[in-house]
Amino acid sequence: MSDGEWKNHKNTSPKSVPTTRLTPIKRNTITHEFDPTAADAMFAEDSDTHLWEASELLRQGMQQQQAGEMIAALKSLQKSLELFEVIGDIPQQEQALSFLAVVTYASGDYKSTISYAQQCLSLKKETPDPSIQMQAFSHLGNAYRHLNDHDKAIKYLEECLKITRNLQDKRSQVAALNNLGLVYKAAGNLTRAIEYQEQSLKLVQELQDNWGIEQVLKNLGNAWYALDNYPKAIAHYEQCVKVARILNNPRSAIQVLKNLGNACYATNDYGKAMTYYEERLQLARELKDKRSEEQSLGSLGVTCEALGDYSQAIKYYEQRLLLARSIKDRRIEEQALASLKVACYALGDYAKAMQYQE
């Protein structure tokens, strides 16, 4: 059982999470989530009024969570939990607590995630549901990782992995292995991180799950990049971008192309770096992602300078300057002006350099 085990009694739920926190957060974690379509089967036989109301609230909360309506989902699930506690229905309390952990984790409220997951594990049942235990250990491990408690994160994710193997659940093994890799990377043990993520990649490729393959490839690329092993980082990032194209997932590609360009730049392969930065720039413009657009323009300018093409560098920097002014970002504007002055001086165009004096 987890440290700081919660007793099974009423009114143990954490206080409501501030609404400002209830925005889904993107991260490299792979989570274990229930299938909301199973709700009809779970709740079909409810005839008692209170039980029916609690079940409807649970079903509603699950659907709201899937739709990204986190505030509404939290309220529905908390009310559902209260009713199931009054009724004394332990299996349904377990379901509600597990979904509350899902919602609070997705919202970045990791302390509440830990609270709900620990309550879920501490419920007294004759036959614990291993799939729900797996979820609880997963959320505990991932939450502790975000709170930088790496020892606890590893402990709980190892428990999660053990259950996935007992269940012979390859999809959940992928998640557990990937997330263990993320903890070891956060703890600075990159070699161990890569070992786990390579195991995860092998399994997710067997499942032919392109969404999972894309995520694990990205995480492996990041681990190799952190080790300054740019050739291996590039190999994984390039595969990741290919999968992102297959999935028509430009949001993911735009993140990886930045690292891919940077890795090529680090190996002095400036031509390849230009190719990836230009692709990122095109995607950024298609998505109207101004931040990625200005980053791409800056990277392209720097790479042109590395190639000795200062005239082209100036063109990119001028576009970056105009963009910075359009979005009223004073910091980026100052960076673009400084870059323009350096490039103009390198060309010997001192008159033009003076134009960029603030």
Side-chain angles (χ1 to χ4, degrees):
M1 192 59 67
S2 59
D3 294 339
E5 183 178 11
W6 286 78
K7 302 295 181 185
N8 178 25
H9 56 79
K10 297 177 177 57
N11 301 322
T12 57
S13 304
K15 294 179 182 178
S16 297
V17 184
T19 56
T20 54
R21 298 291 302 280
L22 291 177
T23 303
I25 296 172
K26 293 182 180 179
R27 52 175 69 78
N28 294 338
T29 312
I30 297 178
T31 55
H32 311 256
E33 294 192 13
F34 290 114
D35 179 1
T37 59
D40 292 337
M42 285 194 290
F43 309 139
E45 301 302 319
D46 297 338
S47 55
D48 178 88
T49 304
H50 291 297
L51 187 57
W52 181 86
E53 183 183 355
S55 298
E56 282 299 306
L57 284 164
L58 178 54
R59 188 204 324 257
Q60 183 176 294
M62 292 162 66
Q63 292 169 345
Q64 288 163 335
Q65 180 266 328
Q66 288 290 318
E69 299 167 6
M70 297 300 178
I71 297 172
L74 186 71
K75 289 177 180 176
S76 297
L77 292 167
Q78 285 175 332
K79 182 62 177 174
S80 170
L81 176 61
E82 288 172 12
L83 290 173
F84 283 131
E85 286 175 338
V86 170
I87 296 164
D89 188 323
I90 301 297
Q92 298 291 52
Q93 286 179 54
E94 194 175 42
Q95 294 278 1
L97 285 164
S98 191
F99 258 90
L100 280 161
V102 170
V103 171
T104 50
Y105 179 77
S107 306
D109 183 6
Y110 305 121
K111 290 183 179 179
S112 290
T113 302
I114 290 166
S115 172
Y116 286 127
Q118 286 178 329
Q119 288 181 73
C120 186
L121 288 170
S122 68
L123 288 170
K124 305 303 178 187
K125 288 185 68 180
E126 289 183 14
T127 310
D129 184 335
S131 64
I132 292 181
Q133 284 190 312
M134 174 189 71
Q135 289 238 6
F137 283 127
S138 176
H139 284 298
L140 279 167
N142 292 326
Y144 275 117
R145 173 171 65 88
H146 290 292
L147 293 173
N148 298 315
D149 191 336
H150 302 136
D151 290 340
K152 281 187 178 178
I154 289 167
K155 171 187 169 184
Y156 290 123
L157 288 172
E158 288 284 9
E159 288 293 326
C160 175
L161 179 61
K162 193 185 300 179
I163 295 172
T164 67
R165 285 174 169 161
N166 289 340
L167 293 171
Q168 297 184 327
D169 181 346
K170 284 188 177 181
R171 195 168 297 279
S172 294
Q173 279 183 60
V174 167
L177 289 163
N178 176 75
N179 296 338
L180 273 163
L182 292 175
V183 178
Y184 277 108
K185 180 175 182 288
N189 190 339
L190 294 165
T191 304
R192 197 76 188 276
I194 288 166
E195 287 174 8
Y196 278 113
Q197 286 172 345
E198 283 179 341
Q199 291 178 59
S200 182
L201 180 61
K202 184 179 177 182
L203 284 172
V204 79
Q205 286 172 334
E206 288 176 12
L207 293 167
Q208 298 181 328
D209 174 2
N210 279 336
W211 289 99
I213 290 169
E214 179 195 36
Q215 185 63 69
V216 178
L217 283 169
K218 184 193 302 179
N219 291 341
L220 271 165
N222 291 344
W224 285 116
Y225 190 98
L227 276 174
D228 297 332
N229 190 327
Y230 300 117
K232 286 200 172 180
I234 289 166
H236 287 91
Y237 286 145
E238 285 179 334
Q239 290 179 62
C240 183
V241 170
K242 284 179 185 175
V243 177
R245 290 191 191 112
I246 291 168
L247 293 169
N248 192 24
N249 187 6
R251 291 285 176 192
S252 178
I254 213 167
Q255 298 167 15
V256 179
L257 285 164
K258 176 183 178 180
N259 291 350
L260 191 44
N262 291 347
C264 291
Y265 185 94
T267 60
N268 300 321
D269 192 344
Y270 303 126
K272 242 184 172 183
M274 288 289 293
T275 298
Y276 292 126
Y277 290 143
E278 283 169 351
E279 185 176 349
R280 185 171 191 245
L281 177 63
Q282 183 181 338
L283 280 178
R285 285 174 170 165
E286 287 173 7
L287 296 170
K288 295 181 171 54
D289 180 346
K290 300 294 186 183
R291 186 59 60 195
S292 294
E293 183 180 352
E294 68 85 2
Q295 288 173 354
S296 301
L297 289 166
S299 298
L300 283 161
V302 169
T303 310
C304 285
E305 286 194 62
L307 289 166
D309 189 349
Y310 295 103
S311 297
Q312 186 61 46
I314 287 168
K315 289 177 183 177
Y316 284 124
Y317 291 143
E318 284 177 334
Q319 291 177 61
R320 190 181 187 216
L321 177 62
L322 288 172
L323 183 57
R325 286 173 173 166
S326 73
I327 61 176
K328 296 180 172 57
D329 189 322
R330 182 64 179 163
R331 182 181 62 85
I332 299 301
E333 182 179 351
E334 289 172 356
Q335 289 177 6
L337 286 166
S339 298
L340 280 162
K341 282 185 283 187
V342 170
C344 290
Y345 278 125
L347 274 179
D349 192 343
Y350 305 115
K352 193 168 186 180
M354 292 299 293
Q355 293 175 16
Y356 298 115
Q357 295 287 350
E358 292 186 69

